[in-house]
Amino acid sequence: MALNRRDFLKSSAAVAAASAVGIAIPQEAQAKAKEAELGWRWDKAACRFCGTGCGIMLATKEGRIVAVKGDPAAPVNRGLNCIKGYFNAKIMYGADRLKTPLLRMNDKGEFDKKGKFKPVSWQRAFDEMEKHAKKALKESGPEGVAVFASGQYTVMEGYAAQKMMKAGFRSNAIDPNARHCMASAVVGFYQTFGIDEPSGCYDDIEITDTIVTWGSNMAEMHPILWSRVTDRKLSNPDKVKVVNIQTYTHRTCDLGDFNIIFSPNTDLALWNYIAHEIVFNHPEAIDWNFVKENIVFAAGPTNIGYGMRRAGEKSLKEGKYTAKEMETISKEMSKKISAKEAPALAPYGYKEGDVMKNTAGTLKHWKISFEEYKKSLEPFTLDYVAKIAKGDPNESLESFKKKLKDLVALYIEKDRKVVSFWTMGMNQHTRGTWVNTLSYNVHFLLNKQALPGNGAFSLTGQPSACGTAREVGTFCHRLPADMMVKNPKHRAKAEKIWGLPAGTLNPVGNQHIMKIHRDIEDGVVKFAWVNVCNAYQDSANAKHWIKAAREMDNFIVTSDGYPGISAMVSDLVLPSAMIYEKWGAYGNAERRTQHWRQQVLPVGDAMSDTWQWMEFSKRFTVKDLWGEYTLRNGKKLPNVIADAKKMGYKEDTTMFEILYANKGKEYKIDLNKFPQKGFDNSECIGDSRNVKGGDGKVFKGYGFMVHQYLFEEYASFGRGHGHDLAPFEVYHKVRGLKWPVVDGKETQWRFNVKYDPYAAKAVKKSGSKSTHAFYGPLAKNILQGTLTGPDKKLGKYALPNKAKIFARPYMDPPEMPDENYDTWLCTGRVLEHWHSGTMTMRVPELYRAVPEALCYMHPKDAKAKGLKRGELAWVESRRGKVKARIETRGRNRPPQGLVFIPWFDEKVFINKVCLDATCPMSKQTDYKKCAVKITKA
C-alpha cells in the first residue's frame, strides 16, 4: 500500500511510541513503519533541552533529519521523550535561521555601531572581531575581553573557548549562563563535600520510599524524571510518599500526598525546622556513628550582603540607577534587622532594629562544636517557623503546622528512604549556597545521604551545565576537573597540559556573568562575545545591560542560530551550527556523559562554535597576547614571551598552533573507522558547502579529529583524580556513563565505599572502617570558632574524608512586598518552551501550544485589582515594567500575594522587571522573588 510522507512519519512515530511504553503492535502497523523508514539512517544522540540527559534516536535521509524518537536503550528515559524532546529536529529548521555573518554598517560599508545589519563574509567578521578585541586588550587588559558562555555548550565547544580565553587572552572573564542556574548548588557541593556534583543518581527514584521536591516543578521542568517518580508512586501508593514544598501550586503538586506552600525565602527556615526537630525532639534519630566518623559542624559570616552593586562602583557614582532602584541596592551596604528574621539571627549576636553592615560575600567558614550548631537551631520552633513560612494566606496555621510535623515524620522514620530534589527554587536565591548546604544537614544527621534511595539531589537545569560549565570549568574561577584559577598548583598543571610558559594563566577569576554585565556598563569590558545563550534576555534587570551594550564604547558579538534579543543588541552576529549539525558531548545531572555524531550539514554558512573559536585563535600571536599586563587589583601578569621562545614558539606563532594544532594531529582522520565512518565532520574535513573561512579561502578542514582531541585532552585533567572519563570512542558505543568511570565501570553512588572505588581507596588508606569517605579536597583545612566568628588561637582543623553540616540562619531577601509594590513576582519556565524561547518559539506545534507568557494570578487578587482573566495588565517593579495577559485558572496557581510569569517570551520581557541580586557566595541571580505592583493596562 502506498503511503505519503505524512503517513510515513505518523506510522513510524506511532510504532516507536507504542514500543516505548510496551504496547503490542499489530503486524500491519509494523509493516507500515518499516516501509516508512526505508532509506533512513538511525543514530543515537542526546536531547538538546534540559539537564535530564534523555537519549534520542535521529533518522536522517538525504541530508535532513526526518524523524526523532526516544531511545529505548537509553537508561535515563527508556524510550520516552517529553513534548520538547520530540521536536529536537524542528528547532533547526526555523524560517529565520541565521545563515551568514551580519555586521552593523553604514552606507560606505564601514562598521557603525548605529548602522543596520548587513551580510559579510566570515573573513570580514573575524577582521572586525580581531580589531576590537585588540583594542579592548590595549585599553583594559585581559579584563576587557569577556565571554557570556553557556551550560548548553558541547563539552568540546566549552573546552575550546576556555583554552583561548584563559590561555590565549589570559582572561578569566568567561562565565556560563549556568551561573544563573547551578552556581549555588556548586558552592554548596564545594563547601559541604569539597568536590562538585551529586553523590546519587536517577536510580534513587526507583529505590526510594519518599520524594520531596523543594522549589522544583519536576512535572514540567524534568518531565521524564517525573514520569519515573509517578511510576514509583503508583507502583506502591501506600508506602511511597510524595511531598512538594513550593511557593505556588503547579502540576508537580498534583501527585503530592500533601503540598507545603511557603513564603518566598523561608525555605531556609523550613530546613532548619526539620534539623531542630531532629536535634531537640528526636535525638534518637541521629546516627551518631556516621556523624562522628564522617562529619564536622561549621559556620560562616552572616553579613555577606546580596550580591548587588556596591558603593563606589562607577555606574552608581555616575547616577545610572534611579532613586527607586537605590532603595533596594542600598541594602547591599547595610540593612536593619527585621522582626521576622531577628529570632533566627539572635544566636549570631543580632537583635531586631540592629544595623547589619555588610561585607561583600565570602566563602570563608570555620569549624564549630555540635553545641554551637544546636544553639543555631534553637529559634526554629514549630511556632516561629509556621508563623514566618506559611505562604498561603487562605490556609489555617494549624493546617500548615500539621504539614510541617508530617514532613519531619517522613524524614526521621528509621527505615524510610528519602530523596530531596530541588532545582531553581533553591538555587536562584540570595542565600542559595546556604539553603543548599542546609539540605545536606538533615540527610547527614539521619545517615540518609550517598546511599541507594537516600540523598539530597540537585537537579541541573541545562543539558551540559554539569558537563561543560562545571566539569570542563568554563566558570570564571575554574579550570577543568574542579581546579581553580587562584590555586598556583592548579594553574601550573593546566599550563603543563596546555603547553604554556609558567605564569601565563591569570590568577584572578572574579568576572562572573553579572559582573561582566556591570563591567560593560562601567566601561571596563570593551569586547564581549555571547556563545550558545541569550545573555541579554536571560539576565535580570536587563534594561541596564541592553542600554550599556548599545550606548557604551564596546563591541558585542553574538553567535546564534536565530536572531534573538542578544543578536539584535549586538554589533556582529555569527551564524552557529546547531546541535546535530556538529559532533558533541553533554554531561547531565547524574554525572552521565553522552556523545553524538554530526548527523547533517549546517544550514547556509553556519559553523560550529568550536570552529569559530579555533578560527579566531589564528588571529592572535605570542607577541599580541603574552606581554605584561596590570590588572585592576594591581596584580601583574608577567611577560612570558621570552619563556615561550625557550619552548620553541616564536613571536608570530599563533594561538591556534599552540592551543589546538600542536597536539591535535595525534588524532587521525580515518573515515573507514568507527565512529567516523559514514558521518559528516565539517570541522575536520570540511564539507560540500565550501564555506569560505576566516582567511577568505574555502575551508577544507583541520586535518585531524578535533572533537576527539579536545575531549581527550580535557579528560586528562580528571583521570586518576576522581573525575575519570572513559575514552572518546567508548562513549559512541554506549548510552552514556556516570563518572568516575574506573576500569570501565561507572559509579552510581559516590563517597560510598560499596559503590565508589575512590571512597574505598580513601578508607583503606586511612585505616578506618567507615562506610563513606567524603574525599573531596577543597576547603578541608579550616579555622575553628563559634557562631559569631573564628578563633585563630585554636588553629586550623584538617578534615580528611569528612563532610560538613553548616549553621545557616533564615534571613529576609533584599526586596519584599510593601505598600508601593505589594506582590511577590516569581519567574521560571513552562513545559513547552526552553529558556528564552529562541528555539522552541520557532517550532509551530510548541508555539501554538503556548504562544505567549501569561501572568498567573490568584482570582481574588485579580478581582481586588479590577482585572479579569485574559485582560492585559502592567507588571511593574522598581526597575521596569512589562505588559502580560492575566491567567487565573491555569496550570500554575499562585496563592494570594504572588504572581508567576515565565520568561520564554521576548514580547513579555519579564527580566526587565527582575532584580539582579545574587547569592553573594555563588553569584547566582535570584529570579524567584522581587516586589511588583500590578495595574490594568
Side-chain angles (χ1 to χ4, degrees):
M1 180 178 65
L3 294 176
N4 62 32
R5 184 176 183 276
R6 182 179 178 84
D7 289 336
F8 269 30
L9 297 178
K10 286 172 68 177
S11 299
S12 181
V15 169
S19 300
V21 294
I23 297 174
I25 306 156
Q27 286 187 343
E28 184 181 356
Q30 291 185 51
K32 285 184 179 180
K34 284 183 180 178
E35 185 180 350
E37 295 181 16
L38 284 175
W40 289 9
R41 180 189 70 189
W42 286 100
D43 196 33
K44 74 176 183 75
C47 179
R48 174 60 180 79
F49 297 109
C50 78
T52 300
C54 294
I56 62 171
M57 297 295 291
L58 296 170
T60 54
K61 185 177 182 180
E62 297 174 356
R64 192 175 175 93
I65 298 176
V66 295
V68 180
K69 64 182 179 182
D71 183 354
V76 172
N77 55 310
R78 305 165 185 178
L80 292 176
N81 283 157
C82 76
I83 187 170
K84 290 191 299 296
Y86 286 113
F87 291 107
N88 265 286
K90 283 197 173 185
I91 65 174
M92 302 195 302
Y93 301 125
D96 60 343
R97 180 76 189 271
L98 294 168
K99 297 179 180 179
T100 188
L102 301 170
L103 177 68
R104 289 188 184 274
M105 292 192 288
N106 59 26
D107 292 338
K108 298 178 182 178
E110 302 164 330
F111 166 66
D112 185 340
K113 198 164 180 70
K114 295 182 180 179
K116 302 286 187 183
F117 281 119
K118 295 178 183 178
V120 294
S121 66
W122 278 107
Q123 184 178 30
R124 174 69 189 281
F126 286 126
D127 284 347
E128 292 292 341
M129 290 173 69
E130 177 189 351
K131 180 173 75 175
H132 288 280
K134 286 178 175 176
K135 178 174 178 277
L137 286 166
K138 185 176 181 180
E139 294 182 15
S140 295
E143 291 159 313
V145 175
V147 172
F148 293 104
S150 181
Q152 298 169 61
Y153 269 144
T154 68
V155 166
M156 295 77 156
E157 286 168 346
Y159 186 67
Q162 171 169 241
K163 285 190 78 175
M164 183 56 196
M165 279 297 288
K166 293 179 179 175
F169 289 125
R170 308 175 80 181
S171 172
N172 292 323
I174 174 172
D175 211 52
N177 58 3
R179 177 73 69 178
H180 291 315
C181 75
M182 292 309 299
S184 293
V186 171
V187 181
F189 281 124
Y190 280 154
Q191 294 222 316
T192 302
F193 298 98
I195 194 171
D196 192 10
E197 301 284 11
S199 49
C201 60
Y202 298 158
D203 294 345
D204 286 323
I205 295 170
E206 283 74 31
I207 301 169
T208 194
D209 307 312
T210 318
I211 294 100
V212 185
T213 68
W214 292 75
S216 178
N217 185 359
M218 285 179 71
E220 295 202 51
M221 305 313 123
H222 295 86
I224 296 302
L225 293 184
W226 194 242
S227 72
R228 291 174 62 171
V229 170
T230 302
D231 182 61
R232 175 63 182 142
K233 169 65 178 172
L234 297 180
S235 69
N236 192 350
D238 294 331
K239 173 67 173 177
V240 177
K241 301 297 179 186
V242 176
V243 182
N244 301 292
I245 302 173
Q246 316 291 341
T247 59
Y248 63 95
T249 302
H250 44 59
R251 285 179 170 174
T252 299
C253 299
D254 295 344
L255 190 68
D257 289 271
F258 61 92
N259 302 301
I260 295 172
I261 304 300
F262 68 95
S263 179
N265 233 56
T266 60
D267 45 359
L268 292 157
L270 295 177
W271 278 116
N272 275 312
Y273 165 70
I274 301 170
H276 173 278
E277 290 301 291
I278 294 169
V279 169
F280 283 89
N281 297 326
H282 297 280
E284 74 285 354
I286 301 174
D287 187 330
W288 277 112
N289 288 333
F290 174 83
V291 171
K292 289 176 180 177
E293 184 74 36
N294 298 289
I295 305 296
V296 298
F297 297 90
T302 56
N303 61 330
I304 58 177
Y306 299 99
M308 297 183 285
R309 279 197 176 274
R310 295 193 64 80
E313 292 187 20
K314 190 168 181 278
S315 290
L316 289 188
K317 291 194 293 185
E318 291 177 349
K320 292 183 179 179
Y321 289 74
T322 66
K324 285 184 178 180
E325 289 178 282
M326 291 307 299
E327 289 175 10
T328 301
I329 293 173
S330 65
K331 295 177 184 175
E332 174 63 22
M333 278 54 79
S334 66
K335 60 159 287 176
K336 187 178 288 187
I337 304 299
S338 73
K340 185 175 181 180
E341 64 191 347
L345 288 167
Y348 300 83
Y350 293 97
K351 63 181 183 301
E352 183 182 351
D354 283 354
V355 174
M356 177 185 281
K357 292 186 178 180
N358 293 324
T359 303
T362 176
L363 299 178
K364 290 180 180 177
H365 56 276
W366 50 89
K367 179 183 176 293
I368 60 172
S369 66
F370 172 71
E371 289 70 26
E372 286 288 296
Y373 172 67
K374 187 174 182 180
K375 189 191 299 182
S376 78
L377 297 176
E378 281 180 8
F380 294 97
T381 63
L382 180 62
D383 287 341
Y384 171 62
V385 173
K387 179 182 176 183
I388 68 168
K390 185 171 77 73
D392 182 355
N394 295 311
E395 181 177 14
S396 73
L397 195 61
E398 290 310 308
S399 167
F400 190 75
K401 285 183 177 181
K402 182 181 184 305
K403 289 177 182 178
L404 296 187
K405 289 191 284 188
D406 290 346
L407 177 67
V408 170
L410 290 174
Y411 272 103
I412 68 172
E413 186 180 324
K414 184 171 176 54
D415 294 320
R416 174 171 287 278
K417 296 175 182 177
V418 186
V419 176
S420 303
F421 284 120
W422 68 91
T423 322
M424 296 307 109
M426 274 173 49
N427 291 341
Q428 291 176 342
H429 197 307
T430 52
R431 291 294 181 267
T433 299
W434 285 11
V435 74
N436 269 265
T437 58
L438 288 175
S439 68
Y440 302 116
N441 292 0
V442 168
H443 283 267
F444 281 151
L445 288 169
L446 301 170
N447 190 9
K448 293 186 178 184
Q449 181 69 29
L451 290 165
N454 276 307
F457 197 127
S458 168
L459 291 171
T460 313
Q462 298 186 76
S464 203
C466 292
T468 311
R470 294 156 69 175
E471 293 156 22
V472 170
T474 51
F475 284 96
C476 65
H477 63 291
R478 291 179 72 163
L479 292 165
D482 272 357
M483 299 201 306
M484 303 293 167
V485 298
K486 71 177 182 181
N487 187 315
K489 291 182 180 178
H490 293 176
R491 294 197 305 276
K493 179 177 179 179
E495 286 165 347
K496 183 177 180 181
I497 291 174
W498 288 345
L500 311 177
T504 302
L505 293 181
N506 183 345
V508 181
N510 59 15
Q511 286 175 278
H512 55 87
I513 271 194
M514 291 316 305
K515 186 164 177 58
I516 292 173
H517 277 306
R518 293 166 187 169
D519 279 350
I520 292 173
E521 187 176 57
D522 287 348
V524 174
V525 168
K526 302 283 189 180
F527 177 94
W529 191 357
V530 179
N531 284 190
V532 204
C533 66
N534 196 344
Y536 285 92
Q537 186 176 340
D538 71 23
S539 293
N541 205 0
K543 280 202 310 184
H544 274 275
W545 323 130
I546 290 174
K547 185 178 181 182
R550 296 304 312 134
E551 296 181 5
M552 298 296 291
D553 176 22
N554 56 41
F555 190 75
I556 311 294
V557 185
T558 290
S559 295
D560 207 336
Y562 292 104
I565 287 177
S566 295
M568 300 310 292
V569 165
S570 297
D571 302 302
L572 173 67
V573 182
L574 304 179
S576 284
M578 294 184 71
I579 179 168
Y580 310 118
E581 298 170 342
K582 59 194 176 188
W583 291 62
Y586 281 159
N588 78 0
E590 63 167 354
R591 293 172 279 109
R592 182 181 298 276
T593 307
Q594 300 185 76
H595 285 232
W596 66 89
R597 297 180 278 198
Q598 183 177 342
Q599 303 296 314
V600 292
L601 297 184
V603 302
D605 284 346
M607 293 296 285
S608 75
D609 291 74
T610 301
W611 180 88
Q612 292 175 34
W613 275 102
M614 292 174 69
E615 287 298 288
F616 193 42
S617 73
K618 293 177 178 178
R619 301 299 187 106
F620 299 90
T621 65
V622 167
K623 184 178 180 180
D624 292 332
L625 301 182
W626 285 359
E628 183 180 88
Y629 293 103
T630 301
L631 304 176
R632 276 180 288 181
N633 66 359
K635 285 191 177 181
K636 289 188 182 294
L637 295 183
N639 184 320
V640 295
I641 295 174
D643 289 336
K645 290 179 178 178
K646 291 176 184 176
M647 297 175 72
Y649 304 135
K650 299 175 182 177
E651 287 192 355
D652 62 354
T653 303
T654 68
M655 290 298 125
F656 172 78
E657 294 171 273
I658 296 170
L659 299 178
Y660 307 110
N662 70 328
K663 292 183 180 178
K665 290 179 181 174
E666 298 171 16
Y667 297 88
K668 305 295 184 185
I669 296 292
D670 189 344
L671 300 180
N672 295 312
K673 182 183 174 186
F674 177 87
Q676 299 174 41
K677 186 177 181 180
F679 286 84
D680 291 310
N681 201 327
S682 295
E683 296 97 329
C684 301
I685 59 174
D687 60 51
S688 59
R689 295 174 302 150
N690 291 323
V691 174
K692 290 183 178 179
D695 57 2
K697 299 176 184 177
V698 172
F699 179 71
K700 297 292 187 181
Y702 293 121
F704 62 93
M705 191 59 181
V706 168
H707 325 289
Q708 186 174 10
Y709 155 60
L710 291 170
F711 180 80
E712 289 293 344
E713 186 180 88
Y714 148 64
S716 71
F717 279 88
R719 288 176 179 148
H721 304 284
H723 280 78
D724 306 65
L725 295 165
F728 177 83
E729 289 189 3
V730 169
Y731 286 109
H732 286 283
K733 297 175 182 176
V734 300
R735 265 55 177 186
L737 293 169
K738 297 186 285 286
W739 63 264
V741 182
V742 180
D743 297 329
K745 295 179 181 178
E746 64 181 4
T747 300
Q748 289 176 288
W749 290 277
R750 294 173 82 204
F751 313 126
N752 186 314
V753 169
K754 185 176 179 181
Y755 302 96
D756 182 347
Y758 278 95
K761 181 180 178 181
V763 165
K764 183 177 181 181
K765 184 178 179 181
S766 70
S768 79
K769 296 182 180 180
S770 178
T771 56
H772 291 74
F774 298 102
Y775 50 78
L778 299 176
K780 287 299 185 75
N781 192 19
I782 59 175
L783 291 169
Q784 303 178 70
T786 65
L787 289 177
T788 56
D791 184 348
K792 291 183 180 179
K793 294 178 184 177
L794 297 175
K796 286 195 170 183
Y797 187 88
L799 317 174
N801 298 329
K802 290 184 183 288
K804 299 167 195 159
I805 286 177
F806 278 93
R808 308 287 203 196
Y810 163 77
M811 287 186 73
D812 295 337
E815 188 171 276
M816 302 171 73
D818 57 24
E819 63 273 14
N820 296 316
Y821 300 90
D822 60 355
T823 301
W824 286 110
L825 168 68
C826 179
T827 68
R829 295 199 289 114
V830 292
L831 170 65
E832 293 83 356
H833 288 293
W834 173 244
H835 282 201
S836 62
T838 309
M839 296 179 290
T840 52
M841 286 289 272
R842 287 167 169 86
V843 176
E845 294 86 347
L846 298 177
Y847 176 80
R848 287 195 298 268
V850 183
E852 64 179 327
L854 302 173
C855 176
Y856 293 91
M857 187 180 217
H858 194 280
K860 289 183 179 178
D861 281 343
K863 185 176 181 180
K865 296 176 187 299
L867 297 166
K868 294 180 181 177
R869 182 177 184 237
E871 287 185 338
L872 287 170
W874 285 110
V875 180
E876 182 177 356
S877 73
R878 290 169 171 85
R879 292 155 295 282
K881 63 180 183 177
V882 297
K883 226 183 260 187
R885 203 172 302 280
I886 297 296
E887 175 58 84
T888 57
R889 303 181 195 168
R891 62 177 82 177
N892 300 300
R893 304 178 292 282
Q896 281 185 265
L898 185 144
V899 296
F900 171 79
I901 303 176
W903 67 280
F904 68 85
D905 188 353
E906 62 185 41
K907 297 185 298 296
V908 183
F909 192 179
I910 196 60
N911 278 336
K912 291 194 299 184
V913 176
C914 291
L915 175 65
D916 59 316
T918 73
C919 167
M921 301 168 77
S922 70
K923 311 300 188 286
Q924 178 165 349
T925 317
D926 188 340
Y927 296 89
K928 299 300 179 184
K929 58 195 80 73
C930 71
V932 297
K933 59 183 175 184
I934 301 171
T935 55
K936 196 165 187 174

